Amino acid sequence: MRIRPVSAVAGALLVLSTLVLAVPQAQAAPGGPEAAPGRAAAHAGVPLAIGHRGVPVQAPENTLASIDRAADLGITWVENDVQRTKDGALIVMHDTTLERTTDVKRRFPRRAPWKIADFTLAEIQKLDAGSWYDRRFAGERVPTLRRYLQRVDHNRQKLLLEVKAPELYPGIERQLASELQRAGWLNARHVRSALVVQSFSAPSLKAFHRVRPDVKTGFLGAPKPSELRSYAAFADQINPPHRSVTSAWVRAVHALRGPHGRHLEVSAWTVDNGDRAVELARMGVDGIISNAPHEIEDALDEDLDEQDEEEDDGLSFLSFLGL
Ligand code: G3P
Ligand code: CA
């Protein structure tokens, strides 16, 4: 993947120009400059790898087991999806129906189409959210948001929280703010560096921003550069599908400042290929949301090592030339 210099002289010149011209890019996504955990903080400019629904290549998505697995792998940032039950509880699940990721069809065969919004929390808590994935995870439950937040804290992780399908759950933004407050997630530490609320819905994100303007937000999508300014009024991040990312688009996003006066950030999704992650890193994205975030970290680290080696080669050559 690394593009090596065509010759030692070219390498030396490249290094020379890098040393003279390069301006280090601050590591910022997704929680702001203070948010960068150990590994990323050590390598300014390297995007954060964010676990998409946890680490779903190793554990069932959006479960506590999945964020525990992320913690075991050293992944600090995890992403999840939040929705609401019939009796008003906030839970963590991606699909708007329970069918794919639980045993609901077996337990409640007459309740098709098994929408989350048609089931009470007590009913949902009876479901097995692990067996569909692997027998080893039998008995895993659909987490409430409250329980999930506790576990993220316990694991010393940070959260990219998606409000999923907010049009189905009127008022969820205000409810989410109350729930975050009750869970201790709106104190200075969490707001400064451990929480970003994102959505595909601009109206929902605006509504959340109105209720809690201090919390960082992310818009899921890839608006045209000409439209970006309107999003900067309520979103700190613009998080696009990775196939729509170009260097020019990333520059256009970074050029704007968000509601907290900082340059907008970009976290691209969903990237499970190391070479693609390196390409995106070179385009300047701040975060990479992945089902295999540990593999993305490895690819980015490897690329960084290769860059370091090339720099060392270049410096040796300059010293050989007496420069
Ligand atoms: O965080 C980005 C990603 O989660 C958006 O897509 O469908 O996986 O929620 P989806
Ligand atoms: Ca999501």
Side-chain angles (χ1 to χ4, degrees), residues 52-53 79 81 94 162 164 198 200 220 269-270 289:
H52 182 236
R53 313 179 199 170
E79 187 260 8
D81 303 281
H94 178 270
E162 181 182 344
K164 179 59 80 187
Q198 66 172 358
F200 283 102
L220 282 163
W269 46 274
T270 302
I289 300 168

Side-chain angles (χ1 to χ4, degrees), residues 79-90:
E79 187 260 8
N80 74 359
D81 303 281
V82 173
Q83 301 190 58
R84 188 162 72 198
T85 65
K86 183 179 180 181
D87 52 345
L90 296 184

Side-chain angles (χ1 to χ4, degrees), residues 10 19 24 48 54 89 115 127 134 138 143 146 154 160 179 185 198-199 208 213 225 251 276 291 295 307:
L19 289 173
L48 286 177
K115 290 182 193 165
L127 303 176
D134 190 294
R146 173 70 72 90
H154 173 81
L160 177 56
E179 185 86 20
W185 268 70
Q198 66 172 358
S199 181
F208 183 80
R251 277 196 301 276
R276 181 59 179 155
N291 296 313
E295 291 175 16
Q307 286 183 47

Side-chain angles (χ1 to χ4, degrees), residues 23-42:
V23 178
Q25 184 192 347
Q27 177 67 50
E34 306 88 341
R39 172 195 164 275

